[in-house]
Amino acid sequence: MTESEEAAVAVGAVRHEWCPHCLKNTLQAATISAATSQAVHVIGGYAVCEECGWSPYAEQSTAPSR
């Protein structure tokens, strides 16, 4: 990517995954990508449990310990 090139950022479809804290399939996750003139690059992701609020990306989870 050149210095003046722009990138279009997109969030992929939300998928449900296993939450190791709730022991349920309630972790909502998605991939974040950026499209440039050269290619599409995966630049990250997000995941948050809809039941307990736990996230594998958080430094400190808000979920109660079990």
Side-chain angles (χ1 to χ4, degrees):
M1 190 164 95
T2 64
E3 194 173 305
S4 62
E5 185 174 5
E6 294 183 13
V9 177
V11 178
V14 175
R15 60 191 181 277
H16 284 85
E17 297 182 357
W18 187 255
C19 176
H21 291 266
C22 290
L23 303 178
K24 297 179 184 176
N25 203 30
T26 54
L27 187 69
Q28 293 185 344
T31 302
I32 302 170
S33 57
T36 67
S37 63
Q38 302 295 316
V40 175
H41 307 274
V42 174
I43 58 172
Y46 80 86
V48 176
C49 178
E50 61 188 356
E51 183 79 20
C52 71
W54 179 80
S55 174
Y57 297 107
E59 290 182 0
Q60 290 189 356
S61 176
T62 59
S65 56
R66 296 184 180 231

